[in-house]
Amino acid sequence: MDIFTPKLWVQTAYILAAFLFIMGLKRMSSPASARGGILWAGVGMVIATLATFLIPLTAMDATTLHTNLTLVVVAITLGSALAWWSGKRVAMTDMPQMIALYNGMGGGAAAAIAAVELYGAHERSLASSVLAVLGALIGAVSFSGSAIAFGKLQGLISKSFRFQGQQVLNLIILVSAVAVGVGIATLGLGTNVVTLFFALALILGVSMTVPIGGADMPVVISLYNALTGLAVAFEGFVLQNPAMIIAGMVVGSAGTLLTQLMAKAMNRSLANVLFAGFGESAQSSNTEVTGSQKPIEASDAGVMMAFAQKVIVVPGYGLAVAQAQHKVWEMAQLLQNRGVTVKFAIHPVAGRMPGHMNVLLAEAGVPYDLIADLEEINAEFETSDVALIIGANDVVNPVARTDKGSPIYGMPILNADQAHNVIVIKRGQGQGFSGIENALFYLDNTRMLYGDAQSAVNQLIQSIKSME
Amino acid sequence: MIDGFIALYIFMLAAFTGYEIISRVPVILHTPLMSGSNFVHGIVLVGAMVALFQAQNTLEQVIGFVGVILAAGNAVGGYVVTERMLEMFKSSKKPQPGGTH
């Protein structure tokens, strides 16, 4: 049966994998089918990986093959075990940086493939050389850039390094990397030049990412995700591997769109995220916040909610940090038992990433139909008795509607200020991510409940329970 | 052989596909979908494997070995975190029509 060659099996497996990846991503873009989607893609990955073990059977130099086969098995086992272990034990709140980390690894792998190609004396067409170099550049930038993003979100790097002429320096590094790359692709320059090229690309990833603030990191991670996809597609062309070309390109374009959607949800343009530090472009605010913050005891706040008709909970970053999502749901259930209508209003950028807060609430068991996004819920604040803000700040700051000088001007916000009463759970009197004073906290119908989200909600639960 | 215009066609069609399939994704799925697409480019694993299979000397073997570790980490880590996130999208009220269990 000559037609069933290993090559045919490999190609069949790859086309099947490409199909499963596309279907998997398609299913992942709808809440109802999302869980099945990752499984489809997972099956595709297993099929493609197993089929790749057949490639050595086709035509390969046998002298080093035995060693290489062992190395492949050891490396897969090692990489998988580490990633499995870390992926299983990371807390839900730390997911964003784990995505950055795994994404960077993919970029590094693409760069490694290019390195094997460029260091070795392989025969290549010009197109192949150009794409190998381009994929190497993008992959290496994604690798070091994602590592910095991980460090920032993990709290390992807390400062954003900015200095005059930073953009110019980045541009110089980029231009030199491209120039060296062109030399490698067209003239076939040797080992030392290739090393210089990779060094420049890695430095570029670092210097591009260090000035970007923590609040913008989700957009940056998404961008590097798209870039890794592109790098994988380009190296797929070099290796003449259709599964890599298709999967990489699909992720490249889907990731680019996703990056734009995220930036839009945060009311930031991509250029703004990459080339300007948050707040730097803003003029000084021209509205003075007047009045004072009025504190409230947890017991009073509990009574207020227990006798309300409708309560809208606005969870934010502070809730994620305090891991208070389970407590909040417990409190919501107590209120529901008393006949209070409870809803959760999620701002697109609540938590640490778009959609992150939904994941956290889902983890606590809050059903879908109680969770509303900005457009759905904004008209309902007027008719609600209490808006309970938990660790959210900028996303409920009415200044975004009125103050043209404010850096958050124009950002869509939740209209919590229109609720009859507003209770704000907050650690202290400090400011939000953006460092802007929040006019909501000074309104006449606003009361401040100071404390860590976890303990404050706990006190509210005790207060509501004591009325039964 | 994938070359010249054939390659351009594949690049172009795959790019449109990627753009189309997620064009109507709700905000709540942004993070899981980013993580899911992060998993999909873990296919770089097959490329890293081929690169290591073909390695001729110690330098190439070392780079290839590191490449396969990184790629396997991308694939497995991407799968695990995506799966964990999507696991939470179980609704207590309505069973998922697209569920797999």
Side-chain angles (χ1 to χ4, degrees):
Chain A
M1 295 298 268
D2 281 75
I3 49 166
F4 293 108
T5 59
K7 200 170 180 182
L8 183 77
W9 286 113
V10 172
Q11 293 300 333
T12 312
Y14 282 171
I15 199 163
L16 195 61
F19 171 77
L20 288 168
F21 287 151
I22 293 172
M23 286 306 290
L25 278 176
K26 172 83 189 153
R27 296 179 77 86
M28 265 186 264
S29 60
S30 154
S33 57
R35 292 181 62 218
I38 184 65
L39 199 73
W40 282 57
V43 170
M45 190 69 73
V46 171
I47 291 174
T49 308
L50 291 179
T52 305
F53 277 104
L54 295 177
I55 288 183
L57 296 178
T58 53
M60 258 184 198
D61 191 357
T63 48
T64 50
L65 190 59
H66 203 73
T67 328
N68 290 350
L69 204 56
T70 318
L71 285 175
V72 166
V73 175
V74 172
I76 290 182
T77 315
L78 215 59
S80 305
L82 279 172
W84 182 273
W85 174 76
S86 58
K88 280 286 179 193
R89 61 188 282 281
V90 63
M92 271 297 152
T93 38
D94 292 342
M95 279 300 172
Q97 53 263 48
M98 289 318 278
I99 300 175
L101 191 66
Y102 298 138
N103 174 55
M105 292 171 89
I113 294 170
V116 171
E117 284 290 326
L118 296 174
Y119 278 121
H122 299 256
E123 287 269 322
R124 280 185 310 270
S125 67
L126 179 65
S128 181
S129 295
V130 169
L131 287 187
V133 167
L134 203 54
L137 175 64
I138 298 172
V141 166
S142 172
F143 176 69
S144 59
S146 298
I148 299 293
F150 170 81
K152 286 205 167 195
L153 288 176
Q154 190 72 17
L156 301 174
I157 308 165
S158 53
K159 277 183 71 180
S160 295
F161 301 92
R162 298 199 192 107
F163 51 85
Q164 280 287 314
Q166 197 160 19
Q167 308 301 348
V168 179
L169 180 69
N170 286 351
L171 192 68
I172 291 171
I173 302 174
L174 174 66
V175 169
S176 1
V178 169
V180 175
V182 169
I184 295 169
T186 54
L187 307 173
L189 296 174
T191 327
N192 289 336
V193 185
V194 174
T195 308
L196 173 70
F197 170 71
F198 277 107
L200 282 171
L202 290 172
I203 293 169
L204 179 62
V206 173
S207 70
M208 260 174 70
T209 321
V210 285
I212 300 169
D216 284 332
M217 269 310 151
V219 179
V220 175
I221 295 171
S222 180
L223 178 71
Y224 285 142
N225 184 42
L227 287 181
T228 304
L230 274 185
V232 170
F234 292 161
E235 299 309 327
F237 177 82
V238 175
L239 297 173
Q240 292 288 303
N241 185 314
M244 279 171 75
I245 297 179
I246 294 172
M249 207 62 204
V250 165
V251 171
S253 74
T256 307
L257 177 62
L258 197 57
T259 309
Q260 284 169 345
L261 291 175
M262 278 191 185
K264 207 175 124 206
M266 300 170 80
N267 193 39
R268 308 267 283 138
S269 78
L270 192 53
N272 214 307
V273 170
L274 288 178
F275 303 121
F278 193 61
E280 280 186 343
S281 56
Q283 306 104 32
S284 60
S285 172
N286 48 32
T287 43
E288 280 287 307
V289 178
T290 54
S292 59
Q293 299 189 2
K294 295 164 279 292
I296 190 172
E297 290 297 318
S299 51
D300 297 334
V303 172
M304 205 190 252
M305 290 196 294
F307 291 98
Q309 301 247 308
K310 185 173 178 182
V311 173
I312 298 180
V313 180
V314 180
Y317 181 72
L319 176 135
V321 171
Q323 299 266 32
Q325 63 269 31
H326 297 275
K327 283 284 165 206
V328 171
W329 175 225
E330 187 186 340
M331 181 199 75
Q333 284 171 307
L334 282 174
L335 290 171
Q336 283 180 327
N337 292 343
R338 295 183 59 93
V340 182
T341 307
V342 183
K343 286 199 173 178
F344 292 85
I346 312 274
H347 191 274
V349 297
R352 309 190 72 170
M353 275 197 173
H356 190 220
M357 190 55 69
N358 304 72
V359 173
L360 293 180
L361 290 181
E363 184 195 13
V366 179
Y368 258 144
D369 36 357
L370 295 188
I371 303 175
D373 65 24
L374 187 115
E375 285 95 34
E376 290 168 344
I377 199 88
N378 251 351
E380 292 191 35
F381 278 105
E382 278 180 329
T383 59
S384 64
D385 301 293
V386 178
L388 177 66
I389 320 283
I390 306 175
N393 193 338
D394 295 332
V395 298
V396 290
N397 192 346
V399 159
R401 284 198 294 261
T402 52
D403 183 0
K404 283 206 172 76
S406 172
I408 59 167
Y409 177 73
M411 178 171 88
I413 58 157
L414 289 162
N415 298 332
D417 54 323
Q418 291 169 0
H420 300 168
N421 296 286
V422 182
I423 301 171
V424 179
I425 296 178
K426 203 166 170 303
R427 286 176 75 97
Q429 302 204 354
Q431 293 154 340
F433 246 146
S434 56
I436 311 158
E437 202 66 68
N438 192 335
L440 176 73
F441 300 164
Y442 297 88
L443 292 179
D444 286 337
N445 57 344
T446 302
R447 293 292 177 273
M448 308 297 290
L449 178 54
Y450 295 114
D452 165 76
Q454 179 95 5
S455 64
V457 174
N458 227 340
Q459 289 168 26
L460 287 176
I461 290 173
Q462 298 312 322
S463 161
I464 297 165
K465 271 188 180 163
S466 69
M467 273 173 281
E468 281 165 359
Chain B
M1 199 63 187
I2 307 165
D3 220 341
F5 277 97
I6 300 294
L8 282 178
Y9 279 120
I10 298 179
F11 279 134
M12 182 183 75
L13 292 174
F16 276 119
T17 308
Y19 196 88
E20 272 307 309
I21 50 175
I22 71 146
S23 58
R24 276 176 297 279
V25 59
V27 173
I28 62 164
L29 282 175
H30 279 182
T31 301
L33 188 65
M34 180 164 102
S35 179
S37 56
N38 176 34
F39 163 69
V40 168
H41 68 52
I43 189 67
V44 70
L45 176 60
V46 303
M49 286 168 71
V50 171
L52 182 49
F53 281 145
Q54 291 174 338
Q56 304 282 341
N57 54 47
T58 316
L59 177 69
E60 291 182 17
Q61 283 174 327
V62 169
I63 299 171
F65 185 72
V66 173
V68 175
I69 291 182
L70 291 174
N74 180 187
V76 173
Y79 186 87
V80 171
V81 296
T82 311
E83 217 275 332
R84 277 186 60 192
M85 265 190 259
L86 291 174
E87 179 68 19
M88 305 188 161
F89 279 77
K90 276 183 296 195
S91 163
S92 55
K93 301 230 160 141
K94 45 191 177 211
Q96 299 296 308
T100 48
H101 301 290

